[in-house]
Amino acid sequence: MKLNRLAALAAAPAVLTLALAGCAAGAGDTGMPGMSHGPGMSSPSASTQTDVSMADSMFAMMMIPHHQQAIEMSDMILAKSGVDERVRELATQIKAAQGPEIELMEGWLREWGMPSSGGADDMGHGDGMMSADDMAALESAEGSAAARLFLEQMIEHHEGAIEMAEEELRRGSDPDVLALAERIIEAQAAEIDTMRELLTQI
């Protein structure tokens, strides 16, 4: 997992260096107001934007495609018949939580002058990301077999997100990004507990 994160960091420095340079060039411009992004969360202030760390920006750039894949997996299971209703409810809960978080992180990256990640392919298959074969297996599964596979894959996926969020807490500096990382850890750890319990029942 850590090697995958290091590889991702090594792949992005040129883009991030240019973007950070652009932020530094505008350090004297403090007139941009912050935007509200939901309860308890706001966009970083103009002064924070000039000092955004690589850890904060990389967290957002990597977590966006991670969340997008979780939503794709949830859409797959919700489109199937014969799936335990509790699993369907969990998939709906995951979509409801992660969709707004994607919008939040995309807004931050725009305000920082950073590119948003181009998609799940940018991450490889580390940090809990499913491979193309994994996604194909979920797509083709049906009924209770699909429900079990979804739970097994999503546990791994959530564990990867928690590792990424813990890394942000160790290395990040922006208070709003740190707050999101804490929220991801709390919510997804609780969902992992739920999924492990469901696996014993279906």
Side-chain angles (χ1 to χ4, degrees):
M1 297 286 185
K2 295 183 182 300
L3 290 176
N4 285 318
R5 276 193 294 275
L6 292 173
L9 286 169
V15 172
L16 288 175
T17 299
L18 289 172
L20 288 168
C23 287
D29 180 6
T30 58
M32 183 183 295
M35 293 174 57
S36 174
H37 289 281
M41 301 295 293
S42 62
S43 90
S45 65
S47 60
T48 301
Q49 291 172 42
T50 64
D51 298 324
V52 60
S53 72
M54 182 173 286
D56 294 326
S57 56
M58 182 57 67
F59 173 75
M61 291 175 73
M62 293 180 68
M63 192 61 78
I64 287 170
H66 201 276
H67 274 20
Q68 287 170 335
Q69 189 179 68
I71 290 175
E72 183 181 358
M73 293 164 68
S74 298
D75 283 337
M76 283 185 186
I77 203 70
L78 289 169
K80 297 178 185 295
S81 59
V83 172
D84 189 289
E85 187 59 31
R86 293 167 296 179
V87 177
R88 296 177 64 83
E89 289 174 1
L90 177 67
T92 300
Q93 175 182 312
I94 289 170
K95 289 185 62 177
Q98 298 196 20
E101 289 175 354
I102 290 172
E103 294 179 3
L104 174 65
M105 291 182 284
E106 287 176 339
W108 286 341
L109 290 171
R110 284 193 299 270
E111 291 165 14
W112 295 335
M114 302 284 184
S116 62
S117 178
D121 290 343
D122 294 345
M123 294 187 65
H125 304 310
D127 294 312
M129 291 291 284
M130 296 297 106
S131 68
D133 287 344
D134 293 330
M135 296 296 281
L138 181 59
E139 179 69 31
S140 62
E142 297 294 339
S144 60
R148 290 189 63 83
L149 183 57
F150 171 80
L151 293 172
E152 291 165 354
Q153 290 182 343
M154 193 62 78
I155 287 171
E156 181 180 351
H157 204 267
H158 274 23
E159 287 172 341
I162 289 172
E163 287 191 9
M164 292 164 64
E166 289 173 341
E167 180 96 346
E168 166 62 17
L169 293 182
R170 288 191 294 270
R171 301 180 58 201
S173 59
D174 186 277
D176 290 321
V177 183
L178 293 171
L180 176 60
E182 289 177 345
R183 190 167 73 185
I184 287 171
I185 291 169
E186 181 179 0
Q188 297 201 18
E191 288 174 350
I192 287 172
D193 289 342
T194 297
M195 290 187 284
R196 285 177 173 157
E197 180 64 22
L198 284 172
L199 280 169
T200 69
Q201 300 173 8
I202 63 173

